[in-house]
Amino acid sequence: MGSQSAPPKGNQDDYKLKDTKPVLGERWPHGGQRGGTGWIYTERATSTYDLVEQMFYLYVRVEKAKDLPPNQVTGSVDPYVEVKVGNYKGKTRHFEKKTNPEWKQVFAFSKDKIQSSVVEVYVRDKEMVARDDYIGKVVFDMHEVPTRVPPDSPLAPQWYRLEGRRGEPKVRGEVMLAVWMGTQADEAFPEAWHSDSASVHGEGVYTIRSKVYVNPKLWYVRVNVIEAQDIEPQDKSQPPQAFVKVQVGQQVLKTKLSPTKTPNPMWNEDLVFVAAEPFEEQLVITVENKSTPAKDEVVGRLSLPLNKFEVRLDHRPVHSRWFNLERFGFGVLEGDKRHELKFSSRIHLRVCLEGAYHVLDESTMYISDTRPTARQLWKQPIGILEVGILSAQGLQPMKTNDGKSSTDAYCVAKYGQKWVRTRTITESFNPKWNEQYTWEVYDPCTVITLGVFDNCHLGGGSSKNDSRIGKVRIRLSTLEMDRIYTNSYPLLVLSPKGLKKMGEVQLAIRFTCLSLAHIIYLYGHPLLPKMHYLHPFTVNQLDGLRFRPRHPPHMDTKLSWAEAAHPDELDEEFDTFPTTKAQDVVKMRYDRLRSVAGRIQTVVGDIATQGERLQALLSWRDPRATSLFVFFCLIAAVALYITPFKMVAAVAGVFWLRHPKFRSKLPSLPSNFFKRLPSRADSML
């Protein structure tokens, strides 16, 4: 399948969203369909797996063994268990010289692929050279295996006497087992060995399991470097011109040089870092002296743990503190010399952990979480998001091993602080996961991102990182409440050769509302916490008062930026056409032009985004937002009809021309509402 810059018209439909009709919900052999008549009394199924297609598995739990007979030659036993169902075999790890081993391992065999009427559980003795010795076995008839129906308690394991090769009971040796038929909703499913990945052994088993991750909580660390005292350079004949370098992990920021050469410099600069709990990194303060234009010398150092600083939940001032600096060169190896110093340089700092801000670790165009860092400031959730990751179709080969192309695919979904990862389906271009996950929703104007990846640890791949096959973004505000969406999303990748379809992923999504009043309340409030607007991190502050020129118009050098023009810019301005400059100079100017064009493209994109939001408002893309807008227009029309125009103009004029101290730094309600409308930015590649 070749990739072209302009795909043929016949393939345009392959790039569109498709409706699907999967058979969702749980179906049991003797209980009908869960969610139908007789099981529940509402339209909403109580099952936690009602957004996926049900998949039956045969589960075998191997707990432990006891009183195993030793080998007659070695006098000991290195036991392990092999579970065999048809052509599929799963093995536990082996123990050395242990007659009472404990494995506590679960094996899951897909019912669709079982071609045997019995389940055989073998206990064997591991041999390093010869063939493994047979200790005993237990055989189960497939028709007698019980079915576990949630929410029943897990099936309790039982002791079984080992049998010989011909079925005769052994004198010694018992194994504790539990065998049952269940679905992917079983608690044992995530940690079980799966027959779908029977070719994976050793440490590779841990890389294919489904997992749930929680992002470490991120904090803004604000370091206000105020001043320092008694800075002593190595060359005492020259006063120091100092600056401060602050480091948190791999993040390094510096203050400006002290404007004057003095042993008591002042900076009063704010430096902001990002740190993650549990704060294993140190805050390292280094004071350096600009001894020569090409040389900086360290004159003092300080290392502080982050967990000793206070947490700020509002804009209240934080107490500043003086810290003594450790003289550079008198470290651990020369600790005794530290006491010979009669005085120490010190630095004045104001450090706090900002809990009222949201750490912007993703673009606001498709942000998935807007809560502040401090849990004390979190509101109650307004809804529940449920996603069923069903399957993928037509995935492209991602690696080649021994001349055979393959793909070992898994899916990752990220929303808020919670990441989920499905199990890996090995060597399949049409994997079926059928796993369901749930998130709490705190803001409807957020986006969930799902990506399909190829597992690089399997199949002899040469890459050190998992390759991305494609991704999908879904904005929650465009979803109707309590409706199940079942669609097939194309996985598109933009390559140098053009747009390429890597396959499709089938999803089932439902957004359930817990508080409609809270959702309406959020539409009039800013997307980010209010501290982002009351005390933003940006240093540029806009003056809200109007400025009227007092002089007639004249040639303004600041308007054309002529007084600050770089010599190269002037040289480019007076260059001839075509150019007479060297190739390197032309290339540098071309790159600069591309940079400017990129910024212009960003501005044009922002303007287009506003138009898309207006179109979304008029086309009911966000049904809740458009309903609020129509209701507001109705109320406004009635109010304007019964209120004289002079009174409306007077009230509007007083409001817009009010004194700045009566104005809030928070964005206005119409601005908040408009910025929450969906755009097409999250649909771009």
Side-chain angles (χ1 to χ4, degrees), residues 212-498:
V212 177
Y213 304 92
V214 177
N215 264 359
K217 189 184 293 185
L218 300 179
W219 294 76
Y220 280 128
V221 182
R222 189 193 293 266
V223 182
N224 180 222
V225 183
I226 304 174
E227 58 181 327
Q229 289 184 351
D230 302 327
I231 299 300
E232 185 177 346
Q234 295 179 2
D235 184 5
K236 297 180 175 56
S237 62
Q238 294 288 336
Q241 188 174 19
F243 66 94
V244 178
K245 182 170 69 175
V246 185
Q247 181 174 359
V248 176
Q250 301 297 321
Q251 307 167 77
V252 180
L253 295 177
K254 300 178 182 179
T255 66
K256 297 179 181 178
L257 275 175
S258 174
T260 59
K261 293 186 176 182
T262 173
N264 303 312
M266 295 189 66
W267 299 279
N268 197 24
E269 289 189 35
D270 268 358
L271 306 177
V272 179
F273 302 86
V274 175
E277 290 184 352
F279 301 133
E280 298 176 350
E281 299 164 335
Q282 297 273 321
L283 177 67
V284 181
I285 313 288
T286 307
V287 180
E288 301 186 14
N289 174 38
K290 197 76 173 177
S291 56
T292 65
K295 181 182 179 183
D296 301 331
E297 62 176 19
V298 179
V299 296
R301 189 176 181 275
L302 174 66
S303 182
L304 300 169
L306 290 174
N307 53 16
K308 71 178 300 183
F309 300 115
E310 61 180 302
V311 175
R312 184 165 70 168
L313 302 180
D314 49 25
H315 58 277
R316 61 182 174 82
V318 178
H319 297 291
S320 61
R321 294 176 57 187
W322 285 95
F323 296 92
N324 291 331
L325 292 171
E326 178 185 335
R327 288 289 300 276
F328 185 74
F330 297 97
V332 178
L333 298 178
E334 304 181 56
D336 296 336
K337 295 185 179 180
R338 257 185 264 171
H339 302 288
E340 298 177 6
L341 301 174
K342 296 182 179 179
F343 70 93
S344 173
S345 303
R346 60 179 190 162
I347 188 170
H348 195 192
L349 302 174
R350 182 182 287 111
V351 186
C352 68
L353 300 172
E354 297 283 6
Y357 293 85
H358 172 75
V359 178
L360 296 172
D361 56 341
E362 53 190 349
S363 171
T364 55
M365 302 303 295
Y366 37 86
I367 196 169
S368 64
D369 188 16
T370 61
R371 291 172 292 172
T373 300
R375 185 177 289 271
Q376 303 95 302
L377 302 178
W378 291 2
K379 306 294 184 181
Q380 292 295 320
I382 54 94
I384 299 294
L385 174 65
E386 298 165 281
V387 178
I389 304 174
L390 304 181
S391 61
Q393 299 290 331
L395 297 183
Q396 297 294 310
M398 299 301 294
K399 52 180 173 277
T400 304
N401 184 28
D402 296 333
K404 179 184 177 182
S405 299
S406 65
T407 298
D408 305 312
Y410 65 89
C411 185
V412 172
K414 191 262 182 184
Y415 182 77
Q417 296 182 353
K418 179 179 175 182
W419 295 65
V420 300
R421 170 176 170 167
T422 67
R423 70 192 188 282
T424 300
I425 305 299
T426 59
E427 300 180 356
S428 175
F429 300 124
N430 303 294
K432 291 186 177 182
W433 297 290
N434 284 304
E435 299 183 21
Q436 182 171 336
Y437 299 95
T438 304
W439 288 267
E440 290 182 335
V441 178
Y442 292 85
D443 195 306
C445 302
T446 47
V447 175
I448 181 173
T449 303
L450 302 99
V452 180
F453 294 83
D454 175 65
N455 196 325
C456 70
H457 301 279
L458 308 176
S462 58
S463 175
K464 294 183 179 179
N465 298 318
D466 293 351
S467 302
R468 189 181 75 187
I469 300 176
K471 65 180 177 182
V472 174
R473 295 194 189 102
I474 302 170
R475 184 171 291 274
L476 271 59
S477 62
T478 62
L479 303 177
E480 297 180 12
M481 293 180 290
D482 299 317
R483 173 185 169 184
I484 297 178
Y485 291 82
T486 55
N487 299 104
S488 179
Y489 295 82
L491 300 173
L492 304 177
V493 173
L494 187 62
S495 65
K497 296 183 179 180

Side-chain angles (χ1 to χ4, degrees), residues 512-525:
T512 305
C513 175
L514 299 179
S515 174
L516 182 59
H518 195 179
I519 291 180
I520 297 175
Y521 168 82
L522 286 175
Y523 271 99
H525 285 73

Side-chain angles (χ1 to χ4, degrees), residues 101-238:
E102 292 188 10
W103 292 285
K104 297 184 182 296
Q105 189 169 347
V106 180
F107 298 85
F109 299 86
S110 177
K111 184 182 178 181
D112 295 338
K113 299 180 180 179
I114 294 178
Q115 299 178 349
S116 175
S117 59
V118 295
V119 182
E120 300 170 289
V121 181
Y122 294 92
V123 181
R124 301 185 187 276
D125 181 15
K126 184 74 173 178
E127 296 291 340
M128 300 301 295
V129 180
R131 184 178 179 181
D132 295 346
D133 287 341
Y134 173 90
I135 298 178
K137 70 176 180 179
V138 178
V139 180
F140 297 89
D141 190 336
M142 193 73 71
H143 300 289
E144 297 179 359
V145 173
T147 299
R148 183 196 168 208
V149 180
D152 291 352
S153 300
L155 198 66
Q158 301 179 16
W159 287 105
Y160 294 89
R161 173 73 65 178
L162 294 179
E163 300 176 353
R165 297 182 185 273
R166 299 180 179 178
E168 72 279 5
K170 286 273 190 176
V171 178
R172 295 181 58 183
E174 294 181 69
V175 62
M176 180 178 279
L177 303 170
V179 183
W180 73 96
M181 190 68 69
T183 68
Q184 71 267 41
D186 201 289
E187 295 89 346
F189 181 80
E191 299 297 325
W193 173 95
H194 290 272
S195 59
D196 296 335
S197 306
S199 59
V200 182
H201 303 286
E203 297 295 328
V205 174
Y206 300 100
T207 67
I208 65 173
R209 291 177 176 172
S210 57
K211 301 178 179 66
V212 177
Y213 304 92
V214 177
N215 264 359
K217 189 184 293 185
L218 300 179
W219 294 76
Y220 280 128
V221 182
R222 189 193 293 266
V223 182
N224 180 222
V225 183
I226 304 174
E227 58 181 327
Q229 289 184 351
D230 302 327
I231 299 300
E232 185 177 346
Q234 295 179 2
D235 184 5
K236 297 180 175 56
S237 62
Q238 294 288 336

